[in-house]
Amino acid sequence: MYIEAVNLTKKYGNFYALRNLNLRVEGAKCVGYLGPNGAGKTTTLKLFTNLLRPTSGDAIINGYNVKKNVKKALADVGTLIETPNFYPHLTPMEILSMACELRGTSKRDIKDSLKKVRLYEWRNKKVGKFSKGMLQRLALASALVTNPEILILDEPTTGMDPQGMREIRDIIKELKKGGLLIFMSSHLLPEVTYVCDEVAMINRGRLILYDSIENVTSKFSSDIIVVEFLHPVNNIERIESIEGVRAIEVLSSSKMRIAFKGGPETQYSILQSLIKRGYKVVSFQSESLALEEAYLKLIGGDNIE
Amino acid sequence: MSEKSSAAQLITIAKYQFLNYIRSKRLFLLLGITGAMSVIFLIVIWQYVNPEHMSSNEFISNWASFSTFLVVLSALFFGGDAISSEYGNKTGYFLFPNPIKRWTILWGKFLASLLASLIVVGLYWGIAFGDTFFVKGTIEIEAYKSFALTLLYLLSLLALTYMFSSFFKSSAVSITITAILYFFVFNVVNSIAMLTGIEPLFSITYAGGVIENVLRNPYPTHMETLQAGGMKMTIFNVQLLTGMEIMLAYFIISTAIATIVITYRELK
């Protein structure tokens, strides 16, 4: 299973919403799709889901061109694009039944899907009364109910409260274990770090990075860690003498920023040394997310979502 | 995953669209209006029309005159926002990314609209036939022809409504513009045509005149010229075949355009 963009271009007048995108995402994994406002993320997803028609190039899913053979291309794809609306007078049960009937799949998973997104108790209520967060949950249920092998999700946690966001992320993580290919756009970098295996970044309609989160982390790790101790620390010199430590900035009596030289291994050895020297470390973490570092370095001064 | 046939998908779309008409109470509302109008007609005809010197066709023409208005109402109720709402209300984000061809969505919805309209128009004509049979004891073949022409008019007007619906994004704009067109623009165009002596062959409401004309005996002449003072006016009576051709042309052209528009229109 794979999705592939081949010289995929979408142009509105003289403006390129997407320019010659070449990207192939294959296998059971979750790929985060990042970029600033107007970078072309949603345009890409809409081209893959037959909502837009490419100006040139091809959006291909499992070997089928979406434009030329939409039925075969989208046969095994569940989608959530923006926050869709549903027919307000129908119930979630009916909406999901419709999705199953359109795809010719069994309706046996409807209740499970609704339970998964915590809408089961609302299954017979009219959708017109639902909040944005509930609509988003229903949209995810409709993407999942037919058990697709590929999921295309556009900012799936939009409009949700923190608990809802966490639940959706956990659902996506679970789905990943089930062998699905998930391609999701997001403007939340921690979300992508938490959920995804790989990340693709675009800016101004062009792909600027596609790599595993692991590689991005090692390439763009921050060289500053923020350490918090259980008790106030008096003898800073003992910490400064640890190998790899470059400088220390005291933030409070029990909290400091440590600049170091090296990668994750140095980070680990600093932590070990601190503990060996009897410091009671409460928290030890990079000042910023590696993905955020990568994002800021690659996209630079552009407007960041 | 097995691929579902377009015909089966069309039926699914029609089924849920029809369910939406029931749940939104549109169908019941129009049935209510039809029922109320029928009761008013029954009372008015019973009170003010003396059927003794009327033929069965003349009697039922009292009913037929209102049926064109009912067809317009049905087209607006069931087709006015059928496609535009997919774009304006964002329901298209749920429907379009399915493995389904866009024309299937259009025709599935059209089928549901047609079915709902047939129920409304069928109820009205059922009452009309019942009343005529009760009063005159017979229903002549022309009455059935008038009913069949009403259905053809419904088909073409619904197609035209779907075409307009596929152009617009806002449901309110789509319904309003279509209503203005049916209730005012076509009638104004017909009047101007009469004054200028040009037969309004391009007007669907002109073609709808066959519904009443077919009940008249003899069938009205094609052209009548009236002269009053310095003013000369030509009254055109649409001929049966011409009327049918206009309606068929509207149906074919409108559905073709609507199919092309929905196939290529993007959901931005």
Side-chain angles (χ1 to χ4, degrees):
Chain A
M1 59 188 160
Y2 71 94
I3 65 170
E4 185 175 18
V6 181
N7 293 322
L8 194 59
T9 301
K10 182 67 186 175
K11 206 176 162 188
Y12 296 105
N14 291 324
F15 171 71
Y16 281 93
L18 195 66
R19 183 182 283 198
N20 289 325
L21 178 72
N22 286 291
L23 174 69
R24 185 182 165 105
V25 178
E26 188 171 5
K29 64 175 76 151
C30 181
V31 179
Y33 197 44
L34 293 173
N37 283 329
K41 301 189 300 289
T42 301
T43 300
T44 309
L45 302 192
K46 284 183 174 180
L47 287 165
F48 273 111
T49 52
N50 194 36
L51 293 168
L52 295 178
R53 298 171 71 81
T55 308
S56 62
D58 299 302
I60 295 165
I61 300 177
N62 289 337
Y64 296 104
N65 189 314
V66 176
K67 186 177 158 187
K68 291 173 187 161
N69 200 340
V70 67
K71 288 188 78 169
K72 286 206 180 332
L74 293 178
D76 261 331
V77 182
T79 61
L80 189 168
I81 306 293
E82 298 199 354
T83 301
N85 255 327
F86 298 93
Y87 304 112
H89 304 288
L90 301 187
T91 66
M93 287 292 285
E94 288 159 351
I95 298 282
L96 298 192
S97 292
M98 184 180 180
C100 291
E101 284 179 43
L102 283 175
R103 287 166 180 265
T105 56
S106 161
K107 295 182 184 176
R108 68 172 181 271
D109 291 329
I110 290 178
K111 287 183 179 171
D112 280 346
S113 298
L114 288 171
K115 282 176 186 165
K116 205 176 266 182
V117 299
R118 293 206 304 123
L119 276 182
Y120 185 69
E121 284 173 20
W122 295 78
R123 66 191 181 281
N124 293 320
K125 303 276 184 219
K126 286 185 182 175
V127 171
K129 293 172 184 163
F130 283 18
S131 67
K132 195 182 174 191
M134 291 166 82
L135 289 174
Q136 192 76 354
R137 287 169 187 273
L138 180 57
L140 186 62
S142 78
L144 300 178
V145 72
T146 56
N147 293 312
E149 61 176 29
I150 297 174
L151 272 180
I152 295 177
L153 310 174
D154 184 20
E155 299 184 2
T157 55
T158 296
M160 294 196 153
D161 55 39
Q163 191 193 343
M165 288 166 106
R166 183 60 188 249
E167 283 167 9
I168 297 299
R169 287 172 194 153
D170 288 339
I171 289 170
I172 296 170
K173 280 194 102 168
E174 273 303 304
L175 290 168
K176 211 168 64 173
K177 288 180 197 161
L180 268 76
L181 167 58
I182 303 164
F183 188 58
M184 59 175 265
S185 74
S186 175
H187 61 279
L188 302 171
L189 302 181
E191 179 172 275
V192 172
T193 311
Y194 180 70
V195 170
C196 299
D197 308 294
E198 294 178 352
V199 62
M201 285 187 197
I202 61 163
N203 191 22
R204 297 180 183 179
R206 288 179 188 276
L207 185 71
I208 52 172
L209 171 102
Y210 175 46
D211 209 338
S212 66
I213 296 278
E214 210 175 88
N215 285 346
V216 173
T217 304
S218 63
K219 272 185 216 163
F220 293 93
S221 286
S222 166
D223 55 1
I224 292 174
I225 42 177
V226 178
V227 188
E228 203 170 349
F229 300 93
L230 187 60
H231 303 297
V233 176
N234 300 318
N235 42 353
I236 304 287
E237 298 76 21
R238 283 190 70 207
I239 298 174
E240 279 176 329
S241 65
I242 294 171
E243 199 184 334
V245 173
R246 281 196 295 114
I248 289 176
E249 183 192 348
V250 176
L251 300 173
S252 70
S253 59
S254 58
K255 195 172 179 181
M256 61 183 66
R257 292 170 84 228
I258 302 176
F260 66 96
K261 200 176 177 184
E265 282 179 10
T266 313
Q267 223 173 318
Y268 178 64
S269 86
I270 292 170
L271 178 61
Q272 268 190 323
S273 302
L274 285 170
I275 291 164
K276 269 184 197 165
R277 290 173 194 206
Y279 293 103
K280 290 180 178 170
V281 178
V282 175
S283 93
F284 184 92
Q285 59 187 15
S286 290
E287 189 177 52
S288 64
L289 238 71
L291 195 56
E292 192 174 60
E293 289 291 320
Y295 189 96
L296 292 170
K297 278 177 188 161
L298 292 169
I299 290 168
D302 285 348
N303 179 27
I304 296 161
E305 274 185 276
Chain B
M1 204 175 275
S2 62
E3 189 179 299
K4 195 162 181 185
S5 73
S6 292
Q9 287 178 322
L10 191 150
I11 299 296
T12 300
I13 296 284
K15 176 181 150 186
Y16 285 95
Q17 182 74 6
F18 193 80
L19 184 62
N20 200 35
Y21 291 146
I22 293 173
R23 289 284 173 74
S24 64
K25 298 184 178 68
R26 281 189 197 199
L27 180 59
F28 298 125
L29 180 62
L30 198 52
L31 281 172
I33 292 171
T34 308
M37 288 307 297
S38 301
V39 170
I40 292 167
F41 262 56
L42 282 169
I43 294 167
V44 169
I45 291 169
W46 183 68
Q47 284 284 329
Y48 299 102
V49 176
N50 182 1
E52 267 182 43
H53 306 292
M54 279 182 163
S55 70
S56 173
N57 282 344
E58 282 170 329
F59 184 80
I60 205 169
S61 70
N62 291 304
W63 288 92
S65 59
F66 179 69
S67 70
T68 52
F69 177 71
L70 195 61
V71 166
V72 172
L73 273 188
S74 296
L76 287 172
F77 262 65
F78 303 122
D81 62 347
I83 303 300
S84 58
S85 63
E86 293 294 335
Y87 294 89
N89 300 342
K90 288 187 167 184
T91 47
Y93 284 118
F94 162 67
L95 198 53
F96 294 163
N98 281 293
I100 185 169
K101 289 181 174 165
R102 295 273 184 94
W103 64 262
T104 316
I105 295 169
L106 177 90
W107 284 94
K109 283 175 169 258
F110 187 84
L111 185 66
S113 302
L114 187 63
L115 188 64
S117 303
L118 283 176
I119 291 171
V120 171
V121 174
L123 170 75
Y124 179 78
W125 273 89
I127 296 169
F129 282 134
D131 186 36
T132 307
F133 189 76
F134 179 75
V135 174
K136 300 302 297 182
T138 181
I139 295 166
E140 291 175 41
I141 187 74
E142 287 77 15
Y144 296 112
K145 283 183 186 171
S146 181
F147 174 56
L149 288 165
T150 306
L151 298 186
L152 182 60
Y153 187 57
L154 170 67
L155 203 65
S156 58
L157 213 63
L158 201 55
L160 188 63
T161 310
Y162 262 73
M163 186 187 81
F164 286 119
S165 185
S166 69
F167 290 155
F168 298 106
K169 191 173 179 182
S170 156
S171 300
V173 170
S174 174
I175 292 172
T176 307
I177 288 182
T178 314
I180 289 170
L181 201 75
Y182 291 155
F183 290 120
F184 299 106
V185 177
F186 275 121
N187 290 333
V188 169
V189 165
N190 291 352
S191 302
I192 291 170
M194 301 281 179
L195 287 169
T196 54
I198 301 165
E199 188 179 6
L201 292 170
F202 42 83
S203 167
I204 191 164
T205 52
Y206 172 67
V210 289
I211 294 167
E212 279 186 77
N213 287 351
V214 79
L215 293 167
R216 285 161 73 180
N217 189 20
Y219 196 97
T221 53
H222 183 208
M223 277 171 64
E224 294 168 44
T225 306
L226 300 176
Q227 204 152 9
M231 201 168 159
K232 191 179 159 190
M233 200 164 88
T234 311
I235 294 175
F236 291 98
N237 291 301
V238 64
Q239 297 303 288
L240 181 60
L241 199 61
T242 310
M244 287 171 70
E245 283 168 353
I246 295 170
M247 288 194 271
L248 268 176
Y250 262 96
F251 172 72
I252 293 165
I253 294 167
S254 301
T255 50
I257 292 172
T259 305
I260 291 166
V261 171
I262 197 172
T263 302
Y264 291 99
R265 190 171 170 190
E266 298 181 326
L267 191 48
K268 289 172 187 165

